[in-house]
């Protein structure tokens, strides 16, 4: 029987076939996602600045000038406190930042605080209420008008204002009060073109909040403004729950409670929660420190403010803190884009140097305040 000749090309054909099949399998796995690098998969660990491109960190604060101390300090701070191998690492649950509102996050000089303008409107301009306003409320409104005209805040007005807010809005449900605040915040700013009261937030500061939240910070607004007004003004602008918006307080009672003490009354199915008309506390100075402990229960690691009313909160944040901490105070030194005050700005800058806080210059540190299309005119 004649022996068959071996085909020398057969082994190569087999090998080629195997390689083709292997390439097909690898292609299917790659495009289905199984072949992707593990770094692209979702991680249970929080994203950190140190794991991302440094340019992205800078872009997150794009409305800050390159010479702004806050920009360089906060970027460096974030790299070290999010690095688990760093001695300055801060666990996510302890990354807490507190912000004042008026003058820190939004305008407080057109011609005064938002909540003072709101009360003045309620007592002197609101057709549905002005004829019902009490003499005490009208007296407070007159003092507020003097403050608007002179720019000087009268001693004792903070408590008078808080008391008048409580009485002027007595009997409203929180939802009704919120709607009133939101309706008023749609009114036009006096000294600025193309901007309402509800839009008068400092865009560079909103960037800071976004930057902190992107690095797993829990952000609180700790304001001297009434808590319910704070919620209404910040809603839709700052992405935090109402429970993280803290302010001055007035009483809340049941609609059928009458003069009974809360210990002697039980909320019924026929009740609604309403404002009780009693002013409780003005959330300024030491009261801010107290409310932080009561409601947050944790010492913040970052604080942002703009006035003496925030000094206690700032000092508390950086004193005996077990974590690396910092305080940033705004100086109202921009006279072209904002109704600034050089004397107050210089005073705050001196306080920063004295107390170890970082001064923020609205004039030199921000490329914009309110964004394009907004112009300031003091003559309006």
């Amino acid at each position: 029987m004649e022996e068959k000749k071996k085909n020398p090309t057969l082994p190569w054909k087999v090998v080629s076939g195997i390689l083709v099949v292997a390439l097909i399998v690898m292609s299917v796995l790659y495009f289905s996602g199984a072949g992707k690098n593990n770094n692209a998969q979702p991680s249970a660990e929080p994203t950190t600045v140190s794991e991302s491109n440094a340019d992205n960190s800078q872009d997150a604060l794009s409305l800050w000038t390159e010479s702004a101390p806050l920009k360089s300090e906060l970027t460096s701070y974030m790299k070290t406190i999010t690095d688990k191998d760093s001695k300055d690492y801060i666990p996510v649950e302890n990354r807490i930042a507190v912000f004042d509102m008026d003058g820190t996050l939004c305008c407080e000089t057109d011609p005064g605080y938002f909540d003072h303008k709101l009360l003045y409107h309620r007592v002197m301009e609101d057709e549905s209420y002005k004829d019902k306003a009490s003499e005490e409320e009208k007296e407070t409104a007159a003092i507020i008008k003097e403050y608007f005209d002179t720019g000087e805040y009268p001693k004792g007005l903070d408590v008078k204002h808080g008391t008048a807010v409580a009485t002027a809005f007595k009997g409203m449900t929180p939802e009704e009060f919120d709607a009133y605040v939101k309706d008023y915040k749609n009114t036009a700013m006096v000294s600025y073109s193309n901007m309402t009261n509800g839009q008068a937030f400092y865009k560079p500061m909103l960037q800071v909040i976004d930057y902190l939240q992107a690095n797993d910070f829990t952000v609180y607004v700790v304001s001297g403004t009434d808590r319910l007004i704070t919620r209404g003004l910040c809603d839709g602008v700052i992405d935090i729950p109402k429970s993280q918006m803290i302010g001055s307080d007035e009483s809340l009672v049941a609609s059928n409670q009458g003069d009974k003490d809360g210990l002697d009354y039980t909320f019924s199915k026929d009740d609604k929660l309403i404002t009780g008309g009693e002013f409780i506390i003005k959330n300024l100075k030491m009261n801010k420190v107290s409310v932080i402990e009561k409601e947050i229960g944790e010492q913040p690691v970052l604080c942002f403010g703009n006035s003496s009313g925030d000094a206690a909160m700032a000092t508390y944040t950086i004193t005996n803190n077990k974590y690396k901490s910092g305080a940033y105070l705004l100086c109202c030194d921009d006279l072209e884009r904002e109704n600034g005050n050089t004397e107050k700005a210089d005073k705050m800058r001196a306080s920063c140097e004295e107390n170890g806080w970082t001064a923020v210059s609205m004039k030199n540190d921000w490329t914009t305040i309110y964004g394009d299309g907004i112009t300031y005119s003091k003559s309006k």
Side-chain angles (χ1 to χ4, degrees):
M1 188 171 181
E2 187 177 354
E3 185 178 355
K4 291 183 179 179
K5 292 183 179 180
K6 292 183 179 180
N7 185 349
T9 64
L10 183 59
W12 293 108
K13 289 181 178 179
V14 173
V15 172
S16 298
I18 293 172
L19 289 173
V20 170
V21 172
L23 287 171
I24 292 173
V25 171
M26 290 178 66
S27 298
V28 170
L29 289 173
Y30 180 82
F31 286 108
S32 66
K36 291 183 180 179
N37 187 293
N38 286 337
N39 291 336
Q41 300 302 309
S43 170
E45 295 296 323
T47 303
T48 67
V49 172
S50 57
E51 295 169 349
S52 63
N53 188 290
D55 290 338
N56 291 336
S57 300
Q58 294 294 321
D59 290 341
L61 299 174
S62 60
L63 300 180
W64 294 75
T65 64
E66 291 305 314
S67 61
L70 178 145
K71 185 171 186 175
S72 57
E73 288 181 18
L74 208 55
T75 300
S76 175
Y77 177 86
M78 210 61 70
K79 287 180 180 179
T80 186
I81 67 101
T82 59
D83 182 357
K84 285 190 172 182
D85 295 326
S86 169
K87 65 179 178 61
D88 294 322
Y89 175 74
I90 301 178
V92 170
E93 61 270 23
N94 300 114
R95 296 178 197 173
I96 295 172
V98 289
F99 287 77
D100 171 53
M101 186 176 70
D102 295 271
T104 301
L105 294 175
C106 63
C107 181
E108 67 175 12
T109 56
D110 189 52
Y113 301 111
F114 175 83
D115 60 343
H116 286 56
K117 294 189 290 184
L118 179 75
L119 177 65
Y120 186 85
H121 167 73
R122 175 73 166 167
V123 173
M124 304 302 293
E125 300 169 346
D126 185 347
E127 295 294 339
S128 68
Y129 184 78
K130 66 179 186 178
D131 292 336
K132 305 173 188 176
S134 69
E135 289 304 314
E136 290 79 8
E137 291 165 2
K138 292 177 181 177
E139 177 186 334
T140 300
I143 298 174
I144 290 173
K145 181 63 166 58
E146 180 182 353
Y147 151 55
F148 289 166
D149 291 341
T150 64
E152 297 297 324
Y153 197 86
K155 185 177 180 179
L157 178 57
D158 45 8
V159 174
K160 283 182 175 291
H161 170 265
T163 302
V165 166
T167 58
F169 292 98
K170 180 180 179 180
M172 285 188 174
T173 65
E175 294 77 16
E176 290 168 342
F177 197 177
D178 185 70
Y180 193 98
V181 172
K182 289 177 178 176
D183 183 62
Y184 181 75
K185 78 178 188 178
N186 287 327
T187 59
M189 294 284 280
V190 176
S191 305
Y192 299 83
S193 63
N194 307 314
M195 186 167 70
T196 65
N197 279 285
Q199 295 171 332
F201 281 80
Y202 302 149
K203 289 189 178 295
M205 294 304 296
L206 296 182
Q207 270 196 338
V208 171
I209 290 179
D210 289 343
Y211 183 52
L212 295 180
Q213 290 179 324
N215 287 280
D216 301 298
F217 268 77
T218 301
V219 171
Y220 290 84
V221 173
V222 183
S223 176
T225 291
D226 179 274
R227 185 188 302 260
L228 299 182
I229 297 175
T230 298
R231 291 175 178 178
L233 182 58
C234 290
D235 187 31
V237 180
I238 301 173
D239 187 20
I240 60 174
K242 290 179 180 179
S243 58
Q244 289 165 216
M245 299 178 187
I246 301 169
S248 297
D249 278 320
E250 59 189 283
S251 61
L252 292 167
V253 299
S255 54
N256 295 309
Q257 184 174 338
D259 295 329
K260 290 184 179 179
D261 186 85
L263 293 174
D264 300 321
Y265 188 83
T266 299
F267 192 90
S268 74
K269 62 182 181 180
D270 297 323
D271 273 318
K272 295 185 295 182
L273 187 66
I274 60 172
T275 51
E278 180 184 354
F279 175 60
I280 298 174
I281 191 170
K282 188 68 175 177
N283 191 37
L284 290 174
K285 301 182 178 180
M286 181 57 203
N287 290 342
K288 289 198 173 190
V289 177
S290 300
V291 79
I292 286 171
E293 175 58 31
K294 290 176 182 177
E295 301 201 21
I296 301 176
E298 187 79 28
Q299 187 178 15
V301 295
L302 290 175
C303 171
F304 302 84
N306 81 304
S307 72
S308 60
D310 305 315
M313 181 169 69
T315 300
Y316 173 63
T317 297
I318 65 173
T319 301
N320 298 322
N321 202 315
K322 62 181 177 180
Y323 297 114
K324 188 173 183 177
S325 57
Y328 296 85
L329 281 291
L330 273 63
C331 301
C332 54
D333 55 359
D334 197 314
L335 309 181
E336 299 297 324
R337 301 176 297 180
E338 169 80 5
N339 188 17
N341 185 307
T342 301
E343 182 181 350
K344 290 182 179 179
D346 289 344
K347 186 176 180 180
M348 175 50 67
R349 194 170 286 107
S351 292
C352 288
E353 293 177 1
E354 179 182 349
N355 293 286
W357 311 327
T358 296
V360 174
S361 168
M362 297 174 70
K363 176 183 178 181
N364 300 319
D365 293 354
W366 295 352
T367 62
T368 185
I369 295 183
Y370 301 110
D372 296 336
I374 308 299
T375 55
Y376 165 68
S377 175
K378 192 170 184 177
S379 61
K380 282 188 176 184

